[in-house]
Amino acid sequence: DISRAQLANSAVESLFAALRAQPDRCCLKVLNLAANSITSEAIGALVHFLSINKTLLSLDLSQNDLIGDSFTALSTAFVANRTLRYLNLDRNYMDDRSAMEFATRLAHDAAALSFLSVDLNRLTPDCLVRFQTVLSETGTSVISGSQIQTDLFWRYRGRAVHMVNPVMNA
């Protein structure tokens, strides 16, 4: 867990370069990069790492500074990565256009994601419904503040972890 470490983009790039250097020795299953002010500049290194990684199950990129084309680039990596199951993109700057490009790419290429959280982005209610509809066809559960999620289970290392999203929008 290196959340809230306020890593500079160059540190994020160095981290992924080191992880890419010996992909057969990387056994990372959960990576929490929340609240690090990661921007589009560091996405290339993350995309490259994800495209070759075979162990990562959960990635938390919430509360960063990801915008527009960052999500399109990420969708390419998530299609190539067949092990990632849980992705948290809460509290970034995903807008309607980037959300639909992201969802369409994941759906078209059958990404392996099981759960995707996009709470507190810049999505309009109409876009969120379309986004959820497109991804539901792939079996991906989309979590957002506009719905109550109380019975969501995610399997990690053989044990069930109960996840509750207490955010309710009236």
Side-chain angles (χ1 to χ4, degrees):
D1 182 354
I2 50 177
S3 63
R4 294 173 174 51
Q6 294 302 312
L7 299 176
N9 282 327
S10 59
V12 172
E13 291 168 349
S14 296
L15 168 68
F16 290 117
L19 291 171
R20 278 193 326 263
Q22 297 181 329
D24 295 335
R25 297 184 73 188
C26 181
C27 59
L28 189 64
K29 293 189 183 296
V30 176
L31 181 56
N32 186 346
L33 291 170
N36 272 298
S37 301
I38 297 170
T39 69
S40 302
E41 295 173 29
I43 290 302
L46 173 59
V47 166
H48 189 240
F49 166 72
L50 289 172
S51 66
I52 63 170
N53 178 271
K54 305 287 187 243
T55 61
L56 194 64
L57 298 172
S58 175
L59 177 61
D60 188 342
L61 292 172
S62 63
Q63 300 179 48
N64 280 292
D65 296 323
L66 302 178
I67 60 171
D69 292 337
S70 300
F71 301 104
T72 304
L74 285 170
S75 68
T76 303
F78 300 138
V79 167
N81 183 306
R82 306 305 299 165
T83 58
L84 191 68
R85 296 291 181 260
Y86 176 80
L87 175 62
N88 187 345
L89 293 174
D90 293 349
R91 296 177 186 248
N92 277 286
Y93 298 97
M94 181 183 280
D95 59 16
D96 289 358
R97 181 192 62 80
S98 57
M100 291 315 298
E101 287 177 8
F102 183 83
T104 302
R105 177 65 188 254
L106 292 180
H108 180 265
D109 294 325
L113 284 177
S114 297
F115 302 106
L116 170 62
S117 187
V118 292
D119 200 16
L120 300 173
N121 274 280
R122 295 179 173 180
L123 304 179
T124 62
D126 289 341
C127 179
L128 184 57
V129 168
R130 290 192 323 269
F131 186 80
Q132 290 172 319
T133 301
V134 168
L135 288 174
S136 69
E137 295 169 5
T138 69
T140 301
S141 296
V142 178
I143 305 163
S144 73
S146 65
Q147 60 189 170
I148 302 169
Q149 296 289 327
T150 57
D151 295 317
L152 180 62
F153 290 89
W154 177 60
R155 296 210 174 274
Y156 174 65
R157 292 189 182 171
R159 66 182 188 266
V161 178
H162 188 74
M163 299 174 63
V164 178
N165 183 355
V167 177
M168 297 180 225
N169 290 347

